[in-house]
Amino acid sequence: MKTTKGKFQHILTSIKALQMKPLDFVLVIILMIASFTPFLLLGGKQTISHQAQLRVNRQVIKTFDLTKNQTYTSQDGDGDINKIEVRDGRIAIVYANCGDQICVTKGFINKTGQTIVCLPHKLVIEVIHSGNDDDNGNRIIDY
């Protein structure tokens, strides 16, 4: 049976065997830089849009003009209710009778590709590219 000192020596020997060599350090730095390359090449910018689309069960229910303040209540036959508000160029779900309330806590959105999802009600609000934006139709998905 090994003593505590023997176990400690074994651990120290294992750690010394795993020490990084100079080229390992260079390789780690190169990999870290490479991990950010897609973000740098693809941009990562989101532009403000003026349209949003409401879908329930993958069916487009309504397209909102975000330049006009309005409220809309989505209600289906099962009693699922979502109150949607457009205010100051942004859209949000301000009330839902679902249990988790994640869609309500998401808050207001207005950038192309951003979404609000109410999974219990199978409802999605997505800010879509409006023709007068200068983002060339690029979409950035935000979950």
Side-chain angles (χ1 to χ4, degrees), residues 28-70:
V28 168
I29 296 299
I30 290 172
L31 290 173
M32 287 176 60
I33 292 170
S35 69
F36 290 102
T37 302
F39 178 76
L40 296 173
L41 292 177
L42 299 176
K45 66 174 185 158
Q46 291 181 319
T47 58
I48 294 174
S49 183
H50 301 292
Q51 288 185 343
Q53 195 174 67
L54 169 65
R55 294 188 304 270
V56 179
N57 283 329
R58 293 182 270 159
Q59 300 288 328
V60 177
I61 304 299
K62 182 170 174 60
T63 300
F64 294 94
D65 180 0
L66 300 183
T67 61
K68 299 176 184 171
N69 292 347
Q70 57 188 301

Side-chain angles (χ1 to χ4, degrees), residues 1-142:
M1 182 160 99
K2 288 186 177 182
T3 64
T4 305
K5 187 174 181 183
K7 288 181 184 179
F8 184 69
Q9 285 292 350
H10 178 68
I11 292 171
L12 281 177
T13 305
S14 298
I15 290 174
K16 286 181 183 179
L18 295 175
Q19 284 184 346
M20 290 179 53
K21 293 162 184 57
L23 288 178
D24 294 339
F25 182 73
V26 171
L27 182 62
V28 168
I29 296 299
I30 290 172
L31 290 173
M32 287 176 60
I33 292 170
S35 69
F36 290 102
T37 302
F39 178 76
L40 296 173
L41 292 177
L42 299 176
K45 66 174 185 158
Q46 291 181 319
T47 58
I48 294 174
S49 183
H50 301 292
Q51 288 185 343
Q53 195 174 67
L54 169 65
R55 294 188 304 270
V56 179
N57 283 329
R58 293 182 270 159
Q59 300 288 328
V60 177
I61 304 299
K62 182 170 174 60
T63 300
F64 294 94
D65 180 0
L66 300 183
T67 61
K68 299 176 184 171
N69 292 347
Q70 57 188 301
T71 58
Y72 178 80
T73 302
S74 172
Q75 186 170 1
D76 68 2
D78 297 335
D80 298 338
I81 299 172
N82 292 82
K83 184 176 177 186
I84 300 160
E85 184 175 333
V86 176
R87 181 178 46 184
D88 301 327
R90 303 176 306 152
I91 189 167
I93 297 178
V94 293
Y95 170 79
N97 65 348
C98 59
D100 58 17
Q101 297 291 299
I102 293 172
C103 55
V104 177
T105 59
K106 175 75 176 186
F108 283 87
I109 61 173
N110 67 342
K111 295 181 181 156
T112 303
Q114 286 185 314
T115 58
I116 301 173
V117 178
C118 184
L119 230 92
H121 297 168
K122 299 177 185 133
L123 179 140
V124 176
I125 296 174
E126 181 181 7
V127 179
I128 58 173
H129 170 70
S130 54
N132 56 359
D133 291 341
D134 58 354
D135 67 354
N136 300 323
N138 294 332
R139 294 177 65 189
I140 298 176
I141 306 300
D142 173 36

